[in-house]
Amino acid sequence: MNLNPAPRIPWTRKHLLGLEELSREEILAILDTADSFHEVSTRNRKKVPALTGRVVFNLFFENSTRTRTSFSLAAKRLSADTQDFQAGVSSLTKGETFIDTAKNIEAMGADVLVVRHPTPGTPHLLTQHVHASVINAGDGAHEHPTQALLDLLTIRRLRGRIEGLTVGLVGDIGHSRVARSNIHGLLKLGAKVILCGPPTLVPRSLERLGCTVSNNLDEVLPLCDVVNVLRIQFERDQKAVFPSIAEYFRLYGLTAARVERAKSDLLLLAPGPINRGVELTPEVADGPHSAILDQVTNGLAVRMAVLYLVSGQKTDPR
Ligand code: CP
């Protein structure tokens, strides 16, 4: 594999915990590396020997379709051994602590721990107790760095740039780790970020990060080059945040009529899972503006890049 263009700076981090702590150059290094791995995914033989002999463990304490599967497949494509840890059938149910569990997994030779946990800061805590690299696959409402990186990669691949674009993040911003990671990444790469949703789901305090906050989607949508539709997280306590799903959909649902009034080349993203008929209609989700499945494809390349970089590869892995 030819890493061309080569990452703009040498990657020195052992962990990927969030986009808040990354520089613009580090984010670009991941995106450039992911572009190279994207090419690998188009080959008949979709596998490179870069991480032969390495062991990647998925430690997921929340459900996942895209992130877990994609990390697993990314590790396999890099020729690493990969193993999923099943929390529900583990000795956690007998009282073993999270840290003891992680140390036991590391004792089996894990080089990289990919961690999703409902408690913010869990991956950061883990770095103080294990020698393995730790990748944050979503910690509570804090950060989901690889989701934001795949969103950035999708925008860059489909629009050719990120700098100067206006990106609207619509929906449940307050509970969203995807929103937080996107805000850090988009602002560092020079995009303008507008947060839009009901006042109960879009804290005004996020303006201090450098975003604009609006509660009126019909005013915001015509300004946007990209809209990223964030899911209403019904599994969290949402009882009092808006009067009804019908009311939310009327004010903030992405419908064909709303998209008609947007820019003709509007790019529509959604991290998934999507609630069809709540955040967007099926015809919009499956329509010509939608890049939802491109995001999933790009996610594989991003996760290959992150696994490769945190594993300290310095050489061309062909
Ligand atoms: N976008 C995302 O993180 O999806 P999963 O919860 O299915 O991993």
Side-chain angles (χ1 to χ4, degrees):
M1 191 193 76
N2 191 6
L3 285 178
N4 186 18
R8 294 161 203 224
I9 58 160
W11 182 267
T12 54
R13 288 182 191 266
K14 182 175 171 186
H15 312 293
L16 177 68
L17 301 177
L19 294 199
E20 184 173 10
E21 58 260 37
L22 295 194
S23 66
R24 168 189 167 84
E25 288 70 28
E26 287 173 310
I27 294 171
L28 289 171
I30 298 174
L31 298 185
D32 292 348
T33 308
D35 266 331
S36 299
F37 282 122
H38 196 279
E39 185 274 323
V40 171
S41 297
T42 63
R43 299 179 192 168
N44 282 338
R45 187 178 164 78
K46 299 177 175 58
K47 200 156 178 159
V48 291
L51 297 191
T52 303
R54 304 292 180 100
V55 180
V56 177
F57 254 92
N58 278 330
L59 292 172
F60 277 56
F61 296 83
E62 268 186 8
N63 293 341
S64 166
T65 295
R66 282 147 289 268
T67 313
R68 178 163 53 190
T69 313
S70 158
F71 265 114
S72 228
L73 193 52
K76 288 186 174 88
R77 287 198 173 171
L78 294 167
S79 303
D81 293 325
T82 176
Q83 183 69 40
D84 276 358
F85 167 77
Q86 311 276 0
V89 292
S90 74
S91 290
L92 283 165
T93 59
K94 302 176 201 164
E96 190 165 34
T97 68
F98 168 73
I99 296 297
D100 281 337
T101 301
K103 283 182 161 176
N104 276 270
I105 293 222
E106 184 176 46
M108 293 179 221
D111 298 294
V112 182
L113 301 175
V114 180
V115 183
R116 172 172 288 190
H117 200 282
T119 306
T122 301
H124 309 66
L125 174 71
L126 200 53
T127 62
Q128 295 165 23
H129 295 274
V130 296
H131 301 288
S133 291
V134 176
I135 298 174
N136 182 358
D139 62 326
H142 178 225
E143 282 229 36
H144 190 350
T146 57
Q147 178 65 48
L149 288 162
L150 73 88
D151 294 341
L152 293 169
L153 185 68
T154 303
I155 297 170
R156 197 173 77 163
R157 289 185 71 84
L158 294 178
R159 289 292 171 269
R161 68 191 169 104
I162 292 166
E163 187 152 15
L165 295 182
T166 297
V167 180
L169 304 178
V170 178
D172 185 354
I173 311 295
H175 294 95
S176 177
R177 55 197 177 207
V178 175
R180 258 170 207 78
S181 291
N182 259 276
I183 291 167
H184 292 304
L186 286 163
L187 292 176
K188 282 175 185 175
L189 297 194
K192 179 171 192 265
V193 179
I194 306 178
L195 309 177
C196 185
T200 46
L201 292 179
V202 187
R204 282 270 163 199
S205 57
L206 289 174
E207 280 182 332
R208 72 184 149 70
L209 296 178
C211 313
T212 304
V213 169
S214 168
N215 307 123
N216 188 329
L217 180 61
D218 291 313
E219 277 179 13
V220 161
L221 197 54
L223 308 174
C224 292
D225 301 292
V226 180
V227 166
N228 197 341
V229 180
L230 304 177
R231 186 172 66 89
I232 302 298
Q233 301 191 23
F234 291 110
E235 71 274 25
R236 319 227 186 248
D237 183 19
Q238 301 282 46
K239 288 188 191 73
V241 291
F242 48 80
S244 70
I245 291 172
E247 179 74 353
Y248 180 85
F249 179 70
R250 188 176 70 76
L251 291 172
Y252 299 104
L254 258 282
T255 60
R258 279 207 165 99
V259 171
E260 278 283 304
R261 297 195 291 274
K263 289 187 180 177
S264 58
D265 62 348
L266 178 75
L267 185 65
L268 172 77
L269 307 180
I274 56 175
N275 299 310
R276 288 172 182 261
V278 179
E279 300 105 19
L280 71 179
T281 61
E283 63 185 327
V284 171
D286 304 325
H289 295 276
S290 172
I292 294 173
L293 294 179
D294 297 273
Q295 289 173 267
V296 178
T297 304
N298 292 332
L300 191 50
V302 159
R303 288 168 181 133
M304 287 174 80
V306 169
L307 287 169
Y308 174 73
L309 290 170
V310 300
S311 298
Q313 295 298 310
K314 301 279 190 290
T315 54
D316 186 332
R318 272 177 300 187

